[in-house]
Amino acid sequence: MSTTVLITVPEKVRASQRRRRVQGSAPDAPPPSIAPSPLAKAFGYVALIVATLYFLVPVYWLLVASSKNNRDLTSTFGFWFAEWNMGTNYDSLMGWTQGLFWRWVGNSVFYSVSAGVIGTLFAVMAGYAIAKFAFPGKKLAVGVIMAGLLMPVALLTVPLYIEFHALGLVNTVWAIIIPSAVSPFGVFLGMVFAQSSVPTELLEAARIDGAGEVRIFFTIVLRLLSPAMVTIFLFIFVATWNNFLLPLMMISSQDLKPVTLGLYGMMSYFSPDKGAVMLGSLLGVIPLIVLFFTLQRYWRSGLAAGAVKG
């Protein structure tokens, strides 16, 4: 005589909970066979802590240094506050820059946003064309883009200056925006993302419905490429903001200088007010911090784009 055992829903739940306890406390914990060892976990935590300190300690030191005068910068402990001198440093910053500091910050924002928007649009257009269209010289175009990834930017600064000087664009905003908008990495990322995230069937269906290529790109493709676009924009924005050699070669007018070049001019004096320079550096990095925190979610999704092709 056989006995039939009926497993009720609560018993199934308890069985699932027992399996989870065996595999780990988290519901999505990996099986014991591939779970990391305690030593590996500890090493991972230590690496994360070291990386966090590596990125946050300079910002903290900059905050402390911006509140000190020249004497306290060399005579007090570097990682703690001394006599509060932030207001005096700000007045000194405005005096040394002749009131142009916030104009320099605005110039940096203008250059970075303009180059980011233009460079992102052209990068995704080129990446989408390479990924989804067949045309003569496609392999050559990909090779040139990959070579551009390996080319040092500083190596191109002098040739760019010669070309822009011949065109009469030196000491103009275009001398900063146009070179900064060219991003081989952005084209490469746009190409990879378009290959994995833009279905060919969707494009064919849009063409059958009578949509032109321009309409398909601006109404369908751009929406699918939005995470990659945010990532490309951030990379171009940060590269343009931190660029120093290109503005140094191209810009001579005080009114057109970005904040990096303006602060360098302060340090070129015989006896600079270092506390004021530190405060200018702190104020100059705040827009980058705000931008990263604002677009962090889209940036992470864009970096993961194309990692898993499904």
Side-chain angles (χ1 to χ4, degrees):
M1 181 176 181
S2 60
T3 304
T4 303
V5 179
L6 298 177
I7 301 178
T8 61
V9 174
E11 291 175 348
K12 290 183 179 180
V13 174
R14 287 195 294 270
S16 177
Q17 292 175 349
R18 286 195 296 268
R19 285 195 300 269
R20 289 176 181 175
R21 285 195 295 268
V22 172
Q23 294 179 357
S25 58
D28 56 348
S33 59
I34 62 173
S37 64
L39 180 61
K41 289 183 178 180
F43 180 79
Y45 287 130
V46 171
L48 289 175
I49 293 173
V50 171
T52 302
L53 293 177
Y54 176 81
F55 289 108
L56 293 183
V57 167
V59 179
Y60 170 75
W61 178 85
L62 189 61
L63 175 63
V64 173
S66 64
S67 66
K68 297 181 179 181
N69 53 31
N70 284 359
R71 184 189 70 255
D72 291 339
L73 279 172
T74 57
S75 61
T76 60
F77 181 59
F79 288 96
W80 195 246
F81 298 93
E83 181 182 354
W84 189 258
N85 206 53
M86 189 79 76
T88 305
N89 287 342
Y90 182 80
D91 294 336
S92 178
L93 176 65
M94 293 296 105
W96 279 69
T97 61
Q98 300 177 354
L100 292 174
F101 174 77
W102 290 113
R103 183 181 180 87
W104 294 342
V105 174
N107 290 339
S108 292
V109 173
F110 174 71
Y111 296 148
S112 302
V113 171
S114 301
V117 172
I118 297 172
T120 300
L121 181 60
F122 278 93
V124 295
M125 290 175 67
Y128 166 70
I130 294 174
K132 293 300 178 179
F133 292 91
F135 54 89
K138 179 176 179 178
K139 293 183 179 179
L140 178 62
V142 175
V144 171
I145 293 170
M146 298 303 294
L149 290 173
L150 304 176
M151 187 72 67
V153 178
L155 188 64
L156 303 175
T157 303
V158 174
L160 282 173
Y161 174 79
I162 296 174
E163 292 180 5
F164 277 79
H165 185 271
L167 295 172
L169 296 178
V170 173
N171 203 31
T172 65
V173 297
W174 300 111
I176 305 297
I177 295 175
I178 294 177
S180 301
V182 179
S183 175
F185 173 77
V187 177
F188 174 74
L189 183 60
M191 179 180 64
V192 172
F193 198 93
Q195 287 175 342
S196 61
S197 300
V198 180
T200 304
E201 296 80 4
L202 181 62
L203 302 178
E204 293 175 351
R207 294 187 184 110
I208 292 173
D209 290 339
E213 296 299 334
V214 175
R215 182 179 179 184
I216 290 174
F217 178 78
F218 284 100
T219 60
I220 299 176
V221 176
L222 282 186
R223 296 183 181 182
L224 297 175
L225 297 180
S226 56
M229 291 176 63
V230 173
T231 305
I232 296 170
F233 175 80
L234 279 175
F235 272 98
I236 297 177
F237 187 97
V238 174
T240 306
W241 187 282
N242 293 332
N243 201 342
F244 170 74
L245 186 58
L246 181 66
L248 180 64
M249 295 287 293
M250 298 289 190
I251 300 298
S252 58
S253 173
Q254 291 288 339
D255 294 335
L256 296 178
K257 286 183 177 181
V259 66
T260 51
L261 188 59
L263 292 177
Y264 169 77
M266 290 183 62
M267 291 300 297
S268 64
Y269 288 100
F270 178 73
S271 181
D273 190 344
K274 297 179 181 178
V277 176
M278 295 301 172
L279 179 59
S281 302
L282 177 64
L283 296 176
V285 81
I286 289 177
L288 292 179
I289 297 175
V290 173
L291 186 67
F292 266 92
F293 275 106
T294 304
L295 302 178
Q296 181 183 15
R297 177 167 60 92
Y298 304 99
W299 180 55
R300 288 185 299 177
S301 62
L303 284 179
V308 179
K309 186 176 181 179

